[in-house]
Amino acid sequence: ISAEAFEEQSKAVAVLERVNKVKSEFVAIVSHEFRTPLTGIQGFSEMMRDEDLTVPELKEYATDINKDARRLNRLVNVMLDLSRMESGRIALSLEPIDLNAIVRDIAATMQPTASKHTFTLRLDDTLSLLQADRDKLTQVVTNLAGNAVKYSPDGGEIVLMTRAEGNHAHLMVIDNGLGMPKDMLEYVFEPYSRAENGKARFVNGTGLGLPIARQIVKLHGGRVWADSVEGKGSTFHCLIPVGASSRAA
Ligand code: ADP
């Protein structure tokens, strides 16, 4: 067998191994993420069934059950969203969007719950309006900014930056957190894949935030990628075309 054929074969084996790994991780993560709320629902409902509880106690347990059920619902929705987007069964609802305004809103919303972190905005005022889906774009920025917080557990500065680049908007989310090894930079965009380097293994997650962000940006005709230095921090980039309406304007 020729060197070339051998190399092709090794590549195919590597791809299969990776697919298999992602699949086992999927089963592990999904069963873990589902099990926690299910255990709660089971336990609280058993107590309500078997014990003589006061009305305030009953209400408290019902509230816990409701919280767990909502968490399951959210998880199922995220999984469905991703599968719909991947199979192209989702339509964008396009309108002129001010990306800077979205970034500002998200920083203002997240800042109060991220007391160890400081959000710094570096927004390009010359940025055109984007022809984009407001909810979906909000989800992209939320996922990336949320990760910047989650994966810098010791706190620090998070820079949200926009820049007009030709007929594209370039969004950067920069943190000084855990970072990740170079060979993980593409892998983490695969569904259910998590880097889990260093302290990242103690951070909760499903491995769906980045694949969803990538799918959304792809649906807008753009692309998403990451730079990182392990132990120093990461930068997530989104390059989004400004789109038809602004070009026409
Ligand atoms: P989740 O955070 O739920 O695991 P994501 O798809 O959002 O899922 O991220 C996938 C993986 O990428 C994470 O598990 C983490 O290992 C890595 N990652 C994402 N964002 C960052 C970041 N800002 N810094 C370091 N690692 C990150």
Side-chain angles (χ1 to χ4, degrees), residues 86-108:
E86 282 179 341
S87 61
R89 278 175 295 136
I90 216 156
L92 295 180
S93 139
L94 298 178
E95 53 178 320
I97 299 291
D98 180 352
L99 178 62
N100 288 342
I102 290 184
V103 171
R104 254 186 237 111
D105 282 353
I106 288 171

Side-chain angles (χ1 to χ4, degrees), residues 104 160 191 195 205 246:
R104 254 186 237 111
L160 303 178
S246 312

Side-chain angles (χ1 to χ4, degrees), residues 185-247:
L185 291 179
E186 263 305 305
Y187 174 69
V188 290
F189 288 97
E190 286 170 30
Y192 308 103
S193 56
R194 314 197 63 223
E196 310 209 298
N197 54 303
K199 283 191 201 161
R201 83 185 81 242
F202 304 115
V203 178
N204 278 323
T206 53
L208 288 174
L210 291 180
I212 284 181
R214 175 169 273 183
Q215 274 298 323
I216 290 174
V217 173
K218 205 168 138 195
L219 286 173
H220 284 84
R223 60 195 185 88
V224 174
W225 71 99
D227 282 333
S228 183
V229 178
E230 197 176 9
K232 289 247 186 302
S234 311
T235 300
F236 282 81
H237 302 261
C238 297
L239 200 62
I240 308 165
V242 166
S245 81
S246 312
R247 272 204 296 272

Side-chain angles (χ1 to χ4, degrees), residues 24-232:
S24 339
E25 281 171 357
F26 164 76
V27 173
I29 286 165
V30 168
S31 48
H32 175 260
E33 291 288 313
F34 276 76
R35 184 151 292 144
T36 313
L38 279 173
T39 304
I41 289 172
Q42 193 175 336
F44 290 124
S45 61
E46 279 168 7
M47 289 199 281
M48 290 168 80
R49 184 192 62 199
D50 299 337
E51 287 170 30
D52 291 321
L53 300 172
T54 62
V55 171
E57 282 170 334
L58 283 172
K59 283 195 183 290
E60 192 189 319
Y61 289 147
T63 305
D64 290 332
I65 289 173
N66 190 261
K67 213 182 285 165
D68 283 334
R70 281 168 187 276
R71 181 166 160 196
L72 283 173
N73 204 18
R74 265 201 310 274
L75 191 59
V76 171
N77 281 337
V78 168
M79 295 170 75
L80 285 177
D81 265 4
L82 182 64
S83 105
R84 280 199 204 104
M85 280 190 268
E86 282 179 341
S87 61
R89 278 175 295 136
I90 216 156
L92 295 180
S93 139
L94 298 178
E95 53 178 320
I97 299 291
D98 180 352
L99 178 62
N100 288 342
I102 290 184
V103 171
R104 254 186 237 111
D105 282 353
I106 288 171
T109 309
M110 294 181 81
Q111 185 66 80
T113 55
S115 52
K116 286 192 285 182
H117 300 83
T118 317
F119 284 97
T120 304
L121 302 181
R122 297 218 182 102
L123 305 177
D124 183 344
D125 292 331
T126 70
L127 203 64
S128 320
L129 295 181
L130 302 182
Q131 186 64 5
D133 184 311
R134 175 183 301 282
D135 290 344
K136 300 245 160 16
L137 221 51
T138 301
Q139 193 176 2
V140 171
V141 183
T142 305
N143 289 2
L144 297 182
N147 278 349
V149 172
K150 276 203 310 188
Y151 296 102
S152 43
D154 300 327
E157 187 183 33
I158 292 165
V159 180
L160 303 178
M161 186 166 159
T162 58
R163 205 157 66 192
E165 288 177 7
N167 48 16
H168 285 78
H170 190 164
L171 167 75
M172 278 156 277
V173 178
I174 307 161
D175 68 57
N176 299 300
L178 303 174
M180 61 185 127
K182 284 270 170 291
D183 64 340
M184 287 284 155
L185 291 179
E186 263 305 305
Y187 174 69
V188 290
F189 288 97
E190 286 170 30
Y192 308 103
S193 56
R194 314 197 63 223
E196 310 209 298
N197 54 303
K199 283 191 201 161
R201 83 185 81 242
F202 304 115
V203 178
N204 278 323
T206 53
L208 288 174
L210 291 180
I212 284 181
R214 175 169 273 183
Q215 274 298 323
I216 290 174
V217 173
K218 205 168 138 195
L219 286 173
H220 284 84
R223 60 195 185 88
V224 174
W225 71 99
D227 282 333
S228 183
V229 178
E230 197 176 9
K232 289 247 186 302

